[in-house]
Amino acid sequence: MRILSVDFDYFVNPTPLQRANYFPDGGREMNDTLNSFVWAGSYAFSKSATKKFGDEMSSLMDVELLKKPLQMIHNIIMTQKDICGMVADSHMHAYDFIRENHDGSATELYNVDFHHDTFDVGKEVHCGNWLRRLLDEGAVDEAYWLNRPESELDGNLTTVIQLSELPKTGYDLVYVCRSGWWTPPHMDGDFIKYLARPLIENKNGWEVRYQTGILESRYNRELKALIKQESAIRDQLSAVPCPKEH
């Protein structure tokens, strides 16, 4: 059995400064409401930082998307013959999806992802250890990781490969996730366009499960209102003069 797992965070290409200043700290995923507040704060900070420092502080809105690799992965997925698929926000659901659809044969998994997801952290399955669990339990025999040059390698149990080494055909299962804690909401449109919608609305008769709301961008009216509110608070704080020493 051959499995393709694709995390949209692989294609998000911030500069080191953008990642350090605007992206949420690493760790566990949390609820959608908190996700919106965290990203709203990041957009507001980005707006004030670029206003103050100019080109020295590239905007969060200017984060690069790796469109050529994204198009290549889209093409690979859409040229498969007969697959079972799933589209969700978190990578953690790949564990149950693979477990439920595993046919008991020798299995190789190809993970296109910024993270290796074989961390030995926590007792429950989550986005950082789902692949380790599958390896430890023998559901996956070999795992290959298409990573990024800046990806963390500590704790990696996979074999790192290049994009040119990724098989083009022969997949039985395809799992795609957005990873909303590691991908800015304004890039959701590209996730939907290249990965989510083509798989969900395929014309090939594939059985594809998907998370409710996954075809809706988080960069919506509600988030923009939160960003505006956060920006106003930051502007007010910056206008308050510092107290004088006596």
Side-chain angles (χ1 to χ4, degrees):
M1 187 174 226
R2 178 175 287 175
I3 303 169
L4 177 62
S5 183
V6 181
D7 193 323
F8 186 60
D9 71 358
Y10 172 88
F11 308 100
V12 177
N13 189 37
T15 64
L17 198 59
Q18 286 172 326
R19 188 179 294 281
N21 284 288
Y22 306 140
F23 281 59
D25 292 335
R28 303 288 186 84
E29 296 165 311
M30 289 172 272
N31 65 68
D32 293 343
T33 300
L34 183 57
N35 182 276
S36 296
F37 276 103
V38 169
W39 279 114
S42 294
Y43 282 107
F45 174 61
S46 169
K47 184 178 178 181
S48 62
T50 51
K51 185 188 299 184
K52 183 175 182 180
F53 299 105
D55 291 338
E56 294 179 32
M57 199 75 146
S58 299
S59 168
L60 178 56
M61 294 295 292
D62 294 331
V63 170
E64 181 188 12
L65 178 72
L66 301 179
K67 282 199 172 181
K68 286 186 177 180
L70 180 57
Q71 183 68 62
M72 181 179 292
I73 297 300
H74 163 86
N75 293 343
I76 289 175
I77 293 174
M78 299 313 296
T79 54
Q80 299 308 302
K81 291 184 178 180
D82 185 21
I83 60 172
C84 179
M86 183 171 179
V87 183
D89 183 79
S90 174
H91 222 150
M92 67 177 287
H93 303 299
Y95 174 85
D96 287 332
F97 171 69
I98 293 169
R99 269 300 193 183
E100 291 167 8
N101 292 281
H102 193 260
D103 62 6
S105 65
T107 300
E108 57 184 20
L109 183 146
Y110 292 84
N111 190 29
V112 181
D113 198 332
F114 184 81
H115 309 93
H116 55 68
D117 294 348
T118 59
F119 293 102
D120 186 15
V121 179
K123 295 181 179 180
E124 302 297 324
V125 174
H126 54 74
C127 61
N129 70 4
W130 66 272
L131 182 49
R132 186 186 188 97
R133 288 295 183 88
L134 291 172
L135 287 165
D136 288 347
E137 296 168 5
V140 171
D141 298 286
E142 295 290 342
Y144 301 91
W145 179 29
L146 177 58
N147 68 355
R148 298 287 306 284
E150 63 272 31
S151 294
E152 180 182 348
L153 298 177
D154 288 348
N156 176 39
L157 300 180
T158 71
T159 300
V160 176
I161 63 171
Q162 302 300 312
L163 183 57
S164 59
E165 299 176 272
L166 187 70
K168 305 297 189 295
T169 59
Y171 294 103
D172 303 289
L173 303 178
V174 173
Y175 185 91
V176 169
C177 66
R178 179 174 59 192
S179 285
W181 281 94
W182 289 271
T183 56
H186 73 273
M187 304 180 90
D188 284 3
D190 291 298
F191 168 76
I192 295 167
K193 176 182 177 180
Y194 288 96
L195 297 175
R197 191 180 301 280
L199 192 53
I200 292 170
E201 299 180 358
N202 74 87
K203 308 299 183 183
N204 303 312
W206 298 335
E207 179 186 347
V208 179
R209 296 160 49 188
Y210 58 94
Q211 182 176 331
T212 301
I214 200 65
L215 290 178
E216 300 171 9
S217 173
R218 293 168 297 155
Y219 197 65
N220 52 26
R221 184 169 54 188
E222 290 77 12
L223 179 61
K224 291 175 183 177
L226 274 177
I227 296 170
K228 186 176 182 180
Q229 182 180 358
E230 288 279 345
S231 295
I233 292 172
R234 286 181 176 273
D235 289 343
Q236 290 174 3
L237 291 175
S238 63
V240 175
C242 295
K244 297 181 179 179
E245 293 184 5
H246 296 285

Coordinates of all heavy atoms in Angstrom, one line a residue, residues 140-220:
V140 N 2.5 1.5 9.3 CA 3.4 2.0 8.2 C 4.8 1.4 8.4 O 5.4 1.4 9.5 CB 3.5 3.5 8.3 CG1 4.6 4.1 7.3 CG2 2.1 4.2 8.0
D141 N 5.3 0.8 7.3 CA 6.6 0.1 7.4 C 7.7 1.0 7.0 O 8.8 1.0 7.7 CB 6.6 -1.1 6.4 CG 5.5 -2.1 6.7 OD1 5.8 -2.9 7.7 OD2 4.5 -2.2 6.0
E142 N 7.5 1.9 6.1 CA 8.5 2.9 5.7 C 7.9 4.2 5.5 O 6.8 4.4 4.8 CB 9.2 2.5 4.3 CG 10.0 1.2 4.4 CD 11.3 1.3 5.2 OE1 11.7 2.4 5.5 OE2 11.8 0.3 5.7
A143 N 8.5 5.3 6.0 CA 8.0 6.6 5.9 C 9.1 7.5 5.3 O 10.2 7.5 5.7 CB 7.6 7.2 7.3
Y144 N 8.7 8.2 4.3 CA 9.6 9.1 3.5 C 9.1 10.6 3.7 O 7.9 10.8 3.7 CB 9.6 8.8 2.1 CG 10.1 7.4 1.8 CD1 9.2 6.3 1.8 CD2 11.5 7.1 1.7 CE1 9.6 5.0 1.6 CE2 11.9 5.8 1.5 CZ 11.0 4.7 1.4 OH 11.4 3.4 1.3
W145 N 10.0 11.5 3.9 CA 9.6 12.9 4.2 C 10.2 13.9 3.2 O 11.4 14.0 3.1 CB 10.1 13.2 5.6 CG 9.8 14.6 6.1 CD1 8.8 15.4 5.8 CD2 10.6 15.3 7.1 NE1 8.9 16.6 6.5 CE2 10.0 16.5 7.3 CE3 11.8 15.0 7.8 CZ2 10.5 17.5 8.2 CZ3 12.3 15.9 8.7 CH2 11.7 17.2 8.9
L146 N 9.3 14.6 2.5 CA 9.7 15.7 1.7 C 9.7 16.9 2.6 O 8.6 17.4 2.9 CB 8.8 15.8 0.5 CG 9.1 16.9 -0.5 CD1 10.5 16.9 -1.0 CD2 8.0 16.9 -1.6
N147 N 10.8 17.4 3.0 CA 10.8 18.5 3.9 C 11.4 19.8 3.3 O 11.6 19.9 2.1 CB 11.7 18.1 5.2 CG 13.1 18.0 4.9 OD1 13.6 18.0 3.8 ND2 13.9 17.7 5.9
R148 N 11.6 20.8 4.2 CA 12.2 22.1 3.7 C 13.6 22.2 4.3 O 13.9 21.6 5.3 CB 11.3 23.2 4.2 CG 9.8 23.2 3.7 CD 9.8 23.6 2.2 NE 10.4 24.9 2.1 CZ 9.9 26.0 2.4 NH1 8.6 26.0 2.9 NH2 10.5 27.1 2.3
P149 N 14.4 23.0 3.7 CA 15.8 23.2 4.2 C 15.8 23.6 5.7 O 16.7 23.3 6.4 CB 16.4 24.3 3.3 CG 15.6 24.2 2.1 CD 14.2 23.8 2.5
E150 N 14.8 24.4 6.2 CA 14.8 24.9 7.5 C 14.0 24.0 8.5 O 13.8 24.3 9.7 CB 14.3 26.3 7.6 CG 12.9 26.5 7.2 CD 12.7 26.7 5.7 OE1 13.5 26.2 4.9 OE2 11.7 27.4 5.3
S151 N 13.5 22.9 8.0 CA 12.8 22.0 8.9 C 13.6 21.4 10.0 O 14.8 21.1 9.8 CB 12.2 20.8 8.1 OG 11.2 21.2 7.1
E152 N 13.0 21.2 11.2 CA 13.7 20.6 12.3 C 13.9 19.1 12.1 O 12.9 18.4 11.8 CB 12.9 20.9 13.6 CG 13.5 20.3 14.9 CD 12.7 20.6 16.1 OE1 11.7 21.3 16.0 OE2 13.0 19.9 17.1
L153 N 15.1 18.6 12.4 CA 15.4 17.2 12.2 C 15.4 16.4 13.4 O 15.3 15.2 13.4 CB 16.7 17.1 11.4 CG 16.8 17.7 10.0 CD1 18.2 17.5 9.5 CD2 15.8 17.1 9.1
D154 N 15.5 17.0 14.6 CA 15.5 16.3 15.9 C 14.2 15.5 16.0 O 13.1 15.9 15.8 CB 15.6 17.3 17.0 CG 17.0 17.9 17.1 OD1 17.9 17.5 16.4 OD2 17.1 18.9 17.9
G155 N 14.4 14.2 16.3 CA 13.3 13.3 16.5 C 12.8 12.7 15.3 O 11.8 11.9 15.3
N156 N 13.4 12.9 14.1 CA 12.9 12.4 12.9 C 13.2 10.9 12.7 O 14.3 10.4 12.9 CB 13.6 13.2 11.7 CG 13.2 12.6 10.3 OD1 12.0 12.2 10.1 ND2 14.2 12.5 9.5
L157 N 12.1 10.2 12.4 CA 12.2 8.7 12.2 C 12.0 8.3 10.7 O 11.9 7.2 10.4 CB 11.2 8.0 13.0 CG 11.3 8.2 14.5 CD1 10.2 7.4 15.2 CD2 12.7 7.7 15.1
T158 N 11.9 9.3 9.8 CA 11.7 9.1 8.4 C 12.9 9.2 7.6 O 14.0 9.6 8.1 CB 10.6 10.1 7.9 OG1 11.3 11.4 7.8 CG2 9.4 10.2 8.8
T159 N 12.8 8.8 6.3 CA 13.9 9.0 5.3 C 13.6 10.2 4.6 O 12.5 10.3 3.9 CB 14.0 7.8 4.4 OG1 14.2 6.6 5.1 CG2 15.1 8.0 3.4
V160 N 14.5 11.2 4.6 CA 14.3 12.5 3.9 C 14.6 12.3 2.4 O 15.6 11.7 2.0 CB 15.2 13.6 4.5 CG1 15.1 14.8 3.7 CG2 14.9 13.8 5.9
I161 N 13.6 12.8 1.6 CA 13.8 12.7 0.1 C 13.6 14.1 -0.5 O 13.2 15.0 0.1 CB 12.7 11.7 -0.5 CG1 11.3 12.2 -0.2 CG2 12.9 10.3 0.1 CD1 10.2 11.4 -1.0
Q162 N 14.0 14.2 -1.8 CA 13.8 15.4 -2.5 C 12.5 15.3 -3.3 O 11.9 14.2 -3.5 CB 15.0 15.6 -3.5 CG 16.3 15.7 -2.8 CD 16.4 16.8 -1.8 OE1 16.0 18.0 -2.1 NE2 16.9 16.5 -0.6
L163 N 12.0 16.4 -3.8 CA 10.8 16.5 -4.6 C 10.8 15.6 -5.8 O 9.9 14.9 -6.2 CB 10.4 17.9 -5.0 CG 9.1 18.2 -5.8 CD1 8.0 17.7 -5.0 CD2 9.0 19.6 -6.1
S164 N 12.0 15.5 -6.4 CA 12.2 14.7 -7.6 C 12.1 13.2 -7.3 O 11.9 12.4 -8.2 CB 13.6 15.0 -8.3 OG 14.6 14.7 -7.4
E165 N 12.2 12.8 -6.1 CA 12.2 11.4 -5.7 C 10.8 11.0 -5.3 O 10.5 9.8 -5.1 CB 13.1 11.1 -4.5 CG 14.6 11.4 -4.8 CD 15.4 11.3 -3.6 OE1 15.6 12.2 -2.8 OE2 15.9 10.1 -3.4
L166 N 9.8 11.9 -5.2 CA 8.5 11.6 -4.8 C 7.8 10.8 -5.9 O 7.7 11.3 -7.1 CB 7.7 12.8 -4.5 CG 6.3 12.7 -4.0 CD1 6.4 12.2 -2.5 CD2 5.5 14.0 -4.0
P167 N 7.3 9.6 -5.7 CA 6.6 8.8 -6.7 C 5.4 9.6 -7.3 O 4.7 10.3 -6.6 CB 6.1 7.5 -6.0 CG 7.0 7.4 -4.8 CD 7.3 8.8 -4.4
K168 N 5.2 9.5 -8.6 CA 4.1 10.2 -9.3 C 2.8 9.4 -9.3 O 1.7 10.0 -9.5 CB 4.6 10.5 -10.7 CG 5.9 11.3 -10.8 CD 5.8 12.7 -10.1 CE 7.0 13.5 -10.4 NZ 8.2 13.0 -9.8
T169 N 2.9 8.1 -9.2 CA 1.7 7.2 -9.3 C 1.7 6.2 -8.2 O 2.6 6.0 -7.5 CB 1.7 6.5 -10.7 OG1 2.9 5.7 -10.8 CG2 1.7 7.5 -11.8
G170 N 0.6 5.4 -8.2 CA 0.5 4.2 -7.4 C 0.0 4.4 -6.0 O 0.0 3.5 -5.1
Y171 N -0.6 5.6 -5.7 CA -1.1 5.9 -4.3 C -2.5 5.2 -4.1 O -3.3 5.3 -5.0 CB -1.2 7.4 -4.1 CG 0.2 8.0 -4.0 CD1 0.7 8.8 -5.1 CD2 1.0 7.8 -2.9 CE1 1.9 9.3 -5.1 CE2 2.3 8.4 -2.9 CZ 2.7 9.2 -4.0 OH 4.0 9.7 -3.9
D172 N -2.7 4.7 -3.0 CA -4.0 4.1 -2.6 C -4.8 5.1 -1.7 O -6.0 5.2 -1.8 CB -3.8 2.8 -1.9 CG -3.0 1.8 -2.7 OD1 -3.6 1.3 -3.7 OD2 -1.8 1.6 -2.3
L173 N -4.1 5.8 -0.8 CA -4.7 6.8 0.1 C -4.1 8.1 -0.1 O -2.8 8.2 -0.2 CB -4.6 6.3 1.5 CG -5.2 5.0 1.9 CD1 -4.9 4.7 3.4 CD2 -6.7 4.9 1.6
V174 N -4.9 9.2 0.0 CA -4.3 10.6 -0.1 C -5.0 11.4 1.0 O -6.2 11.4 1.1 CB -4.6 11.2 -1.4 CG1 -4.2 12.7 -1.4 CG2 -3.9 10.5 -2.6
Y175 N -4.1 11.9 1.9 CA -4.6 12.8 3.0 C -4.0 14.2 2.8 O -2.8 14.3 2.6 CB -4.1 12.2 4.3 CG -4.7 12.9 5.5 CD1 -5.9 12.6 6.1 CD2 -4.0 14.1 6.1 CE1 -6.4 13.2 7.2 CE2 -4.5 14.7 7.1 CZ -5.8 14.3 7.7 OH -6.3 15.0 8.8
V176 N -4.9 15.2 2.9 CA -4.5 16.6 2.7 C -5.0 17.4 3.9 O -6.1 17.3 4.3 CB -5.1 17.2 1.4 CG1 -4.9 18.7 1.4 CG2 -4.5 16.5 0.2
C177 N -4.1 18.2 4.5 CA -4.5 19.1 5.6 C -4.0 20.5 5.4 O -3.0 20.7 4.7 CB -4.0 18.5 6.9 SG -2.3 18.4 7.2
R178 N -4.7 21.4 6.1 CA -4.3 22.8 6.0 C -3.3 23.3 7.1 O -2.5 24.2 6.9 CB -5.6 23.7 6.1 CG -5.4 25.2 6.0 CD -6.7 25.9 6.0 NE -7.6 25.6 7.2 CZ -8.8 25.9 7.3 NH1 -9.4 26.6 6.3 NH2 -9.5 25.7 8.4
S179 N -3.4 22.7 8.3 CA -2.6 23.1 9.4 C -2.7 24.6 9.7 O -1.8 25.3 9.6 CB -1.1 22.7 9.2 OG -1.0 21.3 9.4
G180 N -3.9 24.9 10.2 CA -4.2 26.3 10.4 C -3.4 27.1 11.4 O -3.3 28.3 11.4
W181 N -2.7 26.4 12.3 CA -1.8 27.0 13.2 C -0.4 27.4 12.6 O 0.3 28.1 13.2 CB -1.6 26.2 14.5 CG -2.8 26.3 15.4 CD1 -3.9 25.5 15.4 CD2 -3.1 27.3 16.3 NE1 -4.8 25.9 16.4 CE2 -4.3 27.1 16.9 CE3 -2.4 28.4 16.8 CZ2 -4.9 27.9 17.9 CZ3 -2.9 29.3 17.7 CH2 -4.1 29.0 18.3
W182 N -0.2 26.9 11.4 CA 1.1 27.1 10.8 C 1.0 27.7 9.4 O 2.0 28.0 8.7 CB 1.9 25.8 10.7 CG 2.4 25.3 12.0 CD1 3.6 25.7 12.7 CD2 1.7 24.5 12.9 NE1 3.6 25.1 13.9 CE2 2.5 24.3 14.1 CE3 0.5 23.8 12.9 CZ2 2.1 23.5 15.2 CZ3 0.1 23.0 14.0 CH2 0.9 22.9 15.1
T183 N -0.3 28.0 9.0 CA -0.5 28.7 7.7 C -1.4 29.9 7.9 O -2.5 29.8 8.4 CB -1.2 27.7 6.7 OG1 -2.4 27.2 7.3 CG2 -0.3 26.5 6.4
P184 N -0.9 31.1 7.4 CA -1.7 32.3 7.5 C -3.0 32.2 6.8 O -3.1 31.7 5.7 CB -0.8 33.4 6.9 CG 0.6 32.8 6.9 CD 0.4 31.3 6.8
P185 N -4.1 32.7 7.4 CA -5.4 32.6 6.9 C -5.6 33.1 5.5 O -6.4 32.6 4.7 CB -6.3 33.3 7.9 CG -5.6 33.1 9.2 CD -4.1 33.2 8.8
H186 N -4.9 34.2 5.1 CA -5.1 34.8 3.8 C -4.6 33.9 2.7 O -4.9 34.1 1.5 CB -4.4 36.2 3.7 CG -2.9 36.1 3.6 ND1 -2.1 36.1 4.8 CD2 -2.0 36.1 2.6 CE1 -0.8 36.0 4.4 NE2 -0.7 36.0 3.1
M187 N -3.9 32.8 3.0 CA -3.4 31.8 2.0 C -4.3 30.7 1.9 O -4.1 29.8 1.1 CB -2.0 31.4 2.4 CG -1.0 32.5 2.6 SD 0.7 32.0 3.0 CE 1.4 31.8 1.4
D188 N -5.4 30.7 2.6 CA -6.4 29.6 2.5 C -7.0 29.4 1.1 O -7.3 28.3 0.7 CB -7.6 29.8 3.5 CG -7.3 29.6 4.9 OD1 -6.1 29.2 5.2 OD2 -8.2 29.7 5.8
G189 N -7.1 30.5 0.4 CA -7.6 30.4 -1.0 C -6.8 29.5 -1.9 O -7.3 28.8 -2.7
D190 N -5.5 29.5 -1.7 CA -4.6 28.7 -2.5 C -4.7 27.2 -2.0 O -4.7 26.3 -2.9 CB -3.2 29.1 -2.4 CG -2.9 30.5 -3.1 OD1 -3.2 30.5 -4.3 OD2 -2.6 31.4 -2.4
F191 N -4.9 27.0 -0.7 CA -5.1 25.6 -0.2 C -6.4 25.1 -0.8 O -6.4 23.9 -1.3 CB -5.2 25.6 1.3 CG -5.7 24.4 1.9 CD1 -4.9 23.2 2.0 CD2 -7.0 24.3 2.3 CE1 -5.4 22.0 2.5 CE2 -7.5 23.1 2.9 CZ -6.7 22.0 2.9
I192 N -7.4 25.9 -0.9 CA -8.7 25.4 -1.4 C -8.6 25.2 -2.9 O -9.1 24.2 -3.4 CB -9.8 26.5 -1.1 CG1 -10.0 26.5 0.4 CG2 -11.1 26.1 -1.8 CD1 -10.8 27.7 0.9
K193 N -8.0 26.1 -3.6 CA -7.9 26.0 -5.1 C -7.1 24.8 -5.6 O -7.5 24.1 -6.5 CB -7.3 27.3 -5.6 CG -7.0 27.3 -7.1 CD -6.4 28.6 -7.6 CE -6.1 28.6 -9.1 NZ -5.4 29.9 -9.5
Y194 N -5.9 24.6 -5.0 CA -5.0 23.6 -5.5 C -5.1 22.2 -4.8 O -4.8 21.2 -5.5 CB -3.5 24.1 -5.3 CG -3.1 25.2 -6.2 CD1 -3.2 26.5 -5.8 CD2 -2.7 24.9 -7.5 CE1 -2.8 27.6 -6.6 CE2 -2.3 26.0 -8.3 CZ -2.4 27.3 -7.9 OH -2.0 28.3 -8.7
L195 N -5.6 22.2 -3.6 CA -5.6 20.9 -2.9 C -7.0 20.4 -2.5 O -7.5 19.3 -2.9 CB -4.7 20.9 -1.7 CG -3.2 21.2 -1.9 CD1 -2.5 21.3 -0.6 CD2 -2.7 20.0 -2.8
A196 N -7.7 21.3 -1.7 CA -9.0 20.8 -1.1 C -10.1 20.6 -2.1 O -10.7 19.5 -2.2 CB -9.4 21.8 0.0
R197 N -10.4 21.7 -2.9 CA -11.6 21.6 -3.8 C -11.4 20.5 -4.9 O -12.3 19.8 -5.2 CB -11.9 23.0 -4.4 CG -13.2 23.0 -5.1 CD -13.5 24.4 -5.7 NE -13.6 25.4 -4.7 CZ -14.6 25.7 -3.9 NH1 -15.7 24.9 -4.0 NH2 -14.6 26.6 -3.0
P198 N -10.2 20.5 -5.6 CA -10.1 19.5 -6.6 C -10.2 18.0 -6.1 O -10.8 17.2 -6.8 CB -8.6 19.7 -7.1 CG -8.3 21.1 -6.8 CD -9.0 21.4 -5.5
L199 N -9.8 17.8 -4.9 CA -9.9 16.4 -4.3 C -11.4 16.2 -3.9 O -11.9 15.1 -4.2 CB -9.0 16.3 -3.1 CG -8.8 14.9 -2.5 CD1 -8.3 13.9 -3.6 CD2 -7.7 14.9 -1.4
I200 N -12.0 17.1 -3.2 CA -13.4 16.9 -2.7 C -14.4 16.9 -3.9 O -15.3 16.0 -3.9 CB -13.7 18.1 -1.8 CG1 -12.9 17.9 -0.5 CG2 -15.2 18.0 -1.4 CD1 -13.0 19.1 0.5
E201 N -14.2 17.7 -4.9 CA -15.1 17.8 -6.0 C -14.6 17.1 -7.3 O -14.9 17.4 -8.4 CB -15.4 19.3 -6.3 CG -16.0 20.0 -5.2 CD -16.4 21.5 -5.5 OE1 -16.0 21.9 -6.6 OE2 -16.9 22.2 -4.6
N202 N -13.8 16.0 -7.0 CA -13.2 15.3 -8.1 C -14.3 14.6 -9.0 O -15.4 14.3 -8.6 CB -12.2 14.2 -7.6 CG -13.0 13.0 -7.0 OD1 -13.3 12.1 -7.7 ND2 -13.2 13.1 -5.7
K203 N -13.9 14.4 -10.3 CA -14.8 13.8 -11.3 C -14.5 12.4 -11.5 O -15.0 11.7 -12.5 CB -14.8 14.6 -12.6 CG -15.0 16.1 -12.5 CD -16.3 16.4 -11.9 CE -16.5 18.0 -11.9 NZ -17.8 18.4 -11.3
N204 N -13.6 11.8 -10.6 CA -13.1 10.4 -10.9 C -13.9 9.4 -10.0 O -13.5 8.2 -10.1 CB -11.6 10.4 -10.5 CG -10.8 11.4 -11.3 OD1 -10.9 11.5 -12.5 ND2 -10.0 12.1 -10.6
G205 N -14.8 9.8 -9.3 CA -15.6 8.9 -8.5 C -14.9 8.4 -7.2 O -15.2 7.4 -6.6
W206 N -13.8 9.2 -6.8 CA -13.1 8.9 -5.6 C -13.9 9.1 -4.4 O -14.7 10.1 -4.3 CB -11.8 9.7 -5.5 CG -10.8 9.5 -6.6 CD1 -10.7 8.4 -7.4 CD2 -9.9 10.5 -7.0 NE1 -9.7 8.6 -8.3 CE2 -9.1 9.9 -8.1 CE3 -9.5 11.8 -6.6 CZ2 -8.1 10.5 -8.8 CZ3 -8.5 12.4 -7.3 CH2 -7.8 11.8 -8.3
E207 N -13.8 8.3 -3.4 CA -14.4 8.5 -2.1 C -13.5 9.4 -1.2 O -12.4 9.0 -0.9 CB -14.6 7.2 -1.3 CG -15.3 7.3 0.0 CD -15.4 6.0 0.8 OE1 -15.1 5.0 0.2 OE2 -15.6 6.1 2.0
V208 N -14.0 10.6 -1.0 CA -13.3 11.6 -0.2 C -14.1 12.1 1.0 O -15.1 12.7 0.8 CB -12.8 12.8 -1.1 CG1 -12.0 13.8 -0.3 CG2 -12.0 12.3 -2.3
R209 N -13.5 11.9 2.1 CA -14.1 12.5 3.3 C -13.5 13.9 3.6 O -12.3 14.1 3.2 CB -13.9 11.6 4.6 CG -14.5 10.3 4.5 CD -13.8 9.3 5.4 NE -13.7 9.8 6.8 CZ -13.0 9.2 7.7 NH1 -12.4 8.0 7.5 NH2 -12.9 9.7 8.9
Y210 N -14.3 14.8 4.2 CA -13.7 16.1 4.5 C -14.4 16.8 5.7 O -15.5 16.5 6.0 CB -13.8 17.0 3.2 CG -15.2 17.3 2.7 CD1 -15.9 18.4 3.1 CD2 -15.8 16.4 1.8 CE1 -17.2 18.6 2.6 CE2 -17.1 16.6 1.3 CZ -17.8 17.7 1.7 OH -19.0 17.9 1.3
Q211 N -13.6 17.6 6.3 CA -14.1 18.3 7.5 C -15.0 19.4 7.1 O -14.8 20.2 6.1 CB -12.8 18.9 8.2 CG -13.1 19.6 9.5 CD -11.9 20.1 10.2 OE1 -10.8 19.5 10.0 NE2 -11.9 21.2 10.9
T212 N -16.1 19.6 7.8 CA -17.0 20.7 7.6 C -16.3 22.0 7.7 O -15.6 22.3 8.6 CB -18.2 20.6 8.7 OG1 -18.8 19.3 8.6 CG2 -19.2 21.7 8.4
G213 N -16.6 22.8 6.6 CA -16.0 24.2 6.6 C -14.7 24.3 6.0 O -14.1 25.4 5.9
I214 N -14.1 23.2 5.6 CA -12.7 23.2 5.1 C -12.6 23.9 3.7 O -11.5 24.3 3.3 CB -12.1 21.8 4.9 CG1 -10.6 21.8 4.9 CG2 -12.7 21.0 3.7 CD1 -9.9 22.3 6.1
L215 N -13.7 24.1 3.0 CA -13.7 24.8 1.8 C -14.0 26.3 2.0 O -14.2 27.1 1.0 CB -14.7 24.3 0.8 CG -14.4 22.9 0.2 CD1 -15.5 22.4 -0.7 CD2 -13.0 22.9 -0.5
E216 N -14.0 26.8 3.2 CA -14.3 28.2 3.5 C -13.0 28.8 4.1 O -12.3 28.2 4.9 CB -15.4 28.3 4.6 CG -16.7 27.7 4.1 CD -17.7 27.7 5.3 OE1 -17.4 28.3 6.3 OE2 -18.8 27.1 5.1
S217 N -12.6 29.9 3.5 CA -11.4 30.6 4.0 C -11.6 31.2 5.4 O -12.6 31.8 5.7 CB -11.0 31.7 3.0 OG -9.9 32.5 3.5
R218 N -10.5 31.1 6.2 CA -10.6 31.8 7.5 C -10.4 33.3 7.4 O -10.7 34.0 8.3 CB -9.4 31.2 8.4 CG -9.6 29.8 8.8 CD -8.3 29.2 9.4 NE -7.3 29.2 8.4 CZ -6.0 29.3 8.7 NH1 -5.6 29.4 10.0 NH2 -5.0 29.3 7.8
Y219 N -9.9 33.7 6.2 CA -9.6 35.2 6.0 C -11.0 35.8 5.6 O -11.1 36.2 4.4 CB -8.5 35.4 5.0 CG -7.9 36.8 5.0 CD1 -7.2 37.2 6.1 CD2 -8.1 37.6 3.9 CE1 -6.7 38.5 6.1 CE2 -7.5 38.9 3.9 CZ -6.8 39.3 5.0 OH -6.3 40.6 5.1
N220 N -11.9 35.9 6.5 CA -13.2 36.3 6.2 C -13.6 37.6 6.9 O -12.7 38.3 7.5 CB -14.2 35.2 6.6 CG -14.0 34.8 8.1 OD1 -13.5 35.5 8.9 ND2 -14.4 33.5 8.4

